Amino acid sequence: VVEVKATAVNYNDIWGRRGAPAEVPLPHISGSDAAGIVTQIGSNVTDVKIGDEVLVHCGRPARGNREGQQYNIWGYDWPELDGAHGQYVNVPSENLVPKPDNLSFEEAASLPLVLVTAWRKLVHKARIKPGDTVLIWGAAGGLGVMAIQIAKMFRATAIAVASSDEKLELCKQIGADHLINRNTQDVRKEVRNIVGRKGIDIVFEHPGQATMGLSVQMAKWGGIVVTSGATSGYEGQIDLRHIFFREVEL
């Protein structure tokens, strides 16, 4: 049992309330991010102790609730347990990670879901490597901030796209190499100015409907588009010729 000192809000909390794209059993307490202090442990728990300051890893291997599903997400489709938006939470000890001493509870609680998601998409799926160019939509949001830092960790070039100069200043502070204001600049033109006709190695996509078609078009021949959200809508339009003719991987 963990006493929650800080938690965060994610878009899957909105999805849970809407019952889309997957219904959640009701009653339901949402929340996929938490940091706090261990207050009780089970008799067989040996890897944490009462008083430990921890954050909660939000994923676990899926346990048969949907065929082919790899992971359950705590607070969204992990029906046996309530989520993070409570005073106390009951979670498996293997999901507890020691809180770094240099992070506040609020800072630690901002990490789990967005960090795990961005890491899985860029490292596991896109196979990011040094020298890659990575275009990051929504770069000042939770996913985008993590994507920038992962790109720089792998010595890739991070191109940040955001909706204001204030947001882009944040992106610059955490390491973005190029900045594009989507409200005042032509994203396609600015990308061409940065990478030329070659195109982007990896597009980190999560707005969905508003950007998916352009994301596919801006990827290079054999480039990769990874998606982890649909905040602007679910029904993105794609010119399939870019998929089969230029072998863009989606």
Side-chain angles (χ1 to χ4, degrees):
V1 175
V2 176
E3 180 184 4
V4 176
K5 294 296 185 180
T7 185
V9 177
N10 294 283
Y11 214 85
N12 65 358
D13 299 319
I14 298 174
W15 287 344
R17 287 170 171 81
R18 291 176 176 172
E23 292 186 6
V24 296
L26 298 177
H28 172 73
I29 296 177
S30 65
S32 300
D33 291 318
I37 299 173
V38 176
T39 59
Q40 295 182 42
I41 59 174
S43 58
N44 295 322
V45 173
T46 59
D47 48 349
V48 295
K49 63 183 184 299
I50 292 174
D52 282 354
E53 296 184 351
V54 296
L55 56 91
V56 183
H57 190 293
C58 58
R60 69 159 185 187
R63 297 181 180 175
N65 59 324
R66 294 190 189 93
E67 185 176 353
Q69 184 177 3
Q70 289 184 302
Y71 284 91
N72 294 129
I73 302 173
W74 180 48
Y76 179 53
D77 64 352
W78 190 338
E80 301 97 314
L81 296 177
D82 290 330
H85 297 163
Q87 186 177 0
Y88 293 89
V89 294
N90 181 19
V91 292
S93 63
E94 59 262 31
N95 282 76
L96 299 181
V97 180
K99 182 182 77 66
D101 292 336
N102 64 325
L103 296 182
S104 67
F105 285 111
E106 291 81 5
E107 290 168 333
S110 73
L111 295 175
L113 183 64
V114 289
L115 177 56
V116 170
T117 300
W119 185 272
R120 279 179 53 79
K121 297 301 180 180
L122 289 174
V123 179
H124 295 184
K125 297 294 185 181
R127 306 174 295 280
I128 189 173
K129 62 185 183 301
D132 280 345
T133 54
V134 184
L135 180 73
I136 301 164
W137 289 101
L143 286 169
V145 164
M146 295 302 165
I148 291 171
Q149 294 175 87
I150 292 170
K152 299 314 299 176
M153 180 186 298
F154 280 81
R155 302 194 303 279
T157 297
I159 304 172
V161 183
S163 61
S164 72
D165 291 339
E166 291 78 13
K167 291 180 179 180
L168 289 171
E169 180 59 31
L170 168 64
C171 299
K172 180 179 179 180
Q173 291 174 9
I174 60 175
D177 299 286
H178 302 278
L179 310 174
I180 302 175
N181 185 326
R182 63 175 175 83
N183 282 331
T184 61
Q185 296 174 286
D186 183 317
V187 175
R188 188 201 304 265
K189 181 178 179 180
E190 294 302 319
V191 166
R192 178 67 64 88
N193 290 338
I194 295 167
V195 301
R197 297 181 61 85
K198 174 178 178 286
I200 298 292
D201 294 300
I202 301 169
V203 181
F204 185 76
E205 161 70 49
H206 55 97
Q209 184 170 311
T211 56
M212 178 58 77
L214 180 57
S215 293
V216 171
Q217 292 177 31
M218 291 190 297
K220 73 173 187 179
W221 284 66
I224 299 172
V225 178
V226 287
T227 179
S228 57
T231 53
S232 67
Y234 306 134
E235 299 180 358
Q237 289 189 327
I238 299 173
D239 183 338
L240 293 176
R241 292 172 294 183
H242 293 279
I243 302 293
F244 66 76
F245 186 66
R246 297 197 301 113
E247 298 184 332
V248 172
E249 183 178 339
L250 177 59

